[in-house]
Amino acid sequence: GGGDKGEGSGKEGGCAAGLTLRSVRIHSADEFWKPAFSPDPSMQRKRVAIDELRVYWQHSLPRKDLVAARLRELGAGASLRGALEAAKPADRSDSLLLPLSLALRAVVNANADVRANEARVRIFADVELISLKLAKGQYRSLMHTVARASQFEVDAKDKAAARRGATGERPRRGPKAGAGGSTVGWWVFALARVAPLAFAATRNWNRNLAVRLAARRAIRLEYMHLVGKAAAGGASVREQARVKELESETLEVEDVVLWRELAARTAHALHPEGGKGGGGGRALGGGGK
C-alpha cells in the first residue's frame, strides 16, 4: 500500500493494492490426475491448482491501515507477512478480481514423434468464470495513481538529463583555459554539452562553408584571368575552351555577367589607354550563357 493524495482518494488519501489466495498446490500426477510419481521418466504429468485468487484495490484508505503504518505499529521485530495480514481487508468489497480458482495440467512426453505431429508438451487449463469489478472510486484512484507514476518518471528523466547533459555524461571540467574567461567560450562549452549534435552540425557547416568559399574564389580568379586574356587577344585555344566550359557547366548567368564586368573594369584600370568601346569591349560582350 502507499499514499495517494489525489482527487477522489479521501481526506487522508491512502490506497492499497494486492492479491490474496487460499492455497497453491503443485504436484506430479498419474493418468487420472491424482497425486502420484510417474514410474516412466519419459512421461511426466504435472498439476497446478490455485484456490481463491483475488486482486483488490482499496481507495480512500486511512493511513493507519497501510502496510507501512502496520509495520511501525507492530514494532521493529515485526515481519512483512504479519503486517500484510494485519492490513488485509476484512471483506471483499474492494475486489477487482473476485475469488478465482483454476487448475493447470501439463503432460510432457519425451518420446513424442515430432515428425508425426505429436506434441511433446500439452497444457490444459480448467478455469472458472472470471468476474471483474471496478467501482467508480477505484477507477478514479487507479487513474490518478497511473498519472502520478507517469509524471514521476518524466520528472526523474528530466532531472537526470539536466544533471548529466544531453551527452549522457556529467561534465567534469569547464572550458579550456584560453576560452574559460570569455563569454563566447562558455557558450561554446554549454552548447557542446547540452546539444552535441547541433554543435557538431554547426562546426561541420562552418568547415564546409570555408571550403566552398575557397573553391568559388579560385574559380572566379581563374575565369576573370582567362576572360581578360581573351579580351586582349592573348588567350590560347585551350584557354578559350576552358572559358566556354566554365560558362556552360559551372557558372551561373549572374556570375558570368558580373565577373566579365569586373574583368573589364580591372583591365581598364590597368590599361586606361585602351579607351571605351574598343575591340576589348566587343570581345568581353560575346560570352555568357
Side-chain angles (χ1 to χ4, degrees), residues 247-263:
E247 292 177 346
S248 61
E249 298 182 5
T250 304
L251 302 180
E252 299 292 338
V253 176
E254 294 84 355
D255 295 334
V256 172
V257 174
L258 177 61
W259 292 351
R260 277 180 172 272
E261 183 178 355
L262 288 175

Side-chain angles (χ1 to χ4, degrees), residues 4 17-18 39 65 98 110 119-120 129 145 149 153 156 158 188 197 199 217 222 231 238 252-253 266:
D4 183 357
D65 292 335
L98 297 180
R120 288 189 176 180
L129 180 65
T145 302
E153 180 182 6
D158 291 344
V188 171
L197 296 180
F199 180 73
R217 181 176 183 274
E222 178 190 8
R238 185 174 182 179
E252 299 292 338
V253 176
T266 302

Side-chain angles (χ1 to χ4, degrees), residues 79-102:
S79 64
L80 180 60
R81 181 183 179 86
L84 288 171
E85 288 293 333
K88 189 167 60 176
D91 56 15
R92 298 175 178 177
S93 59
D94 291 327
S95 297
L96 297 179
L97 173 66
L98 297 180
L100 172 68
S101 296
L102 57 92

Side-chain angles (χ1 to χ4, degrees), residues 160-172 192-194 196:
R163 288 195 301 269
R164 296 192 301 268
T167 60
E169 298 180 0
R170 188 171 184 175
R172 298 180 181 273
R193 268 56 181 182
V194 176

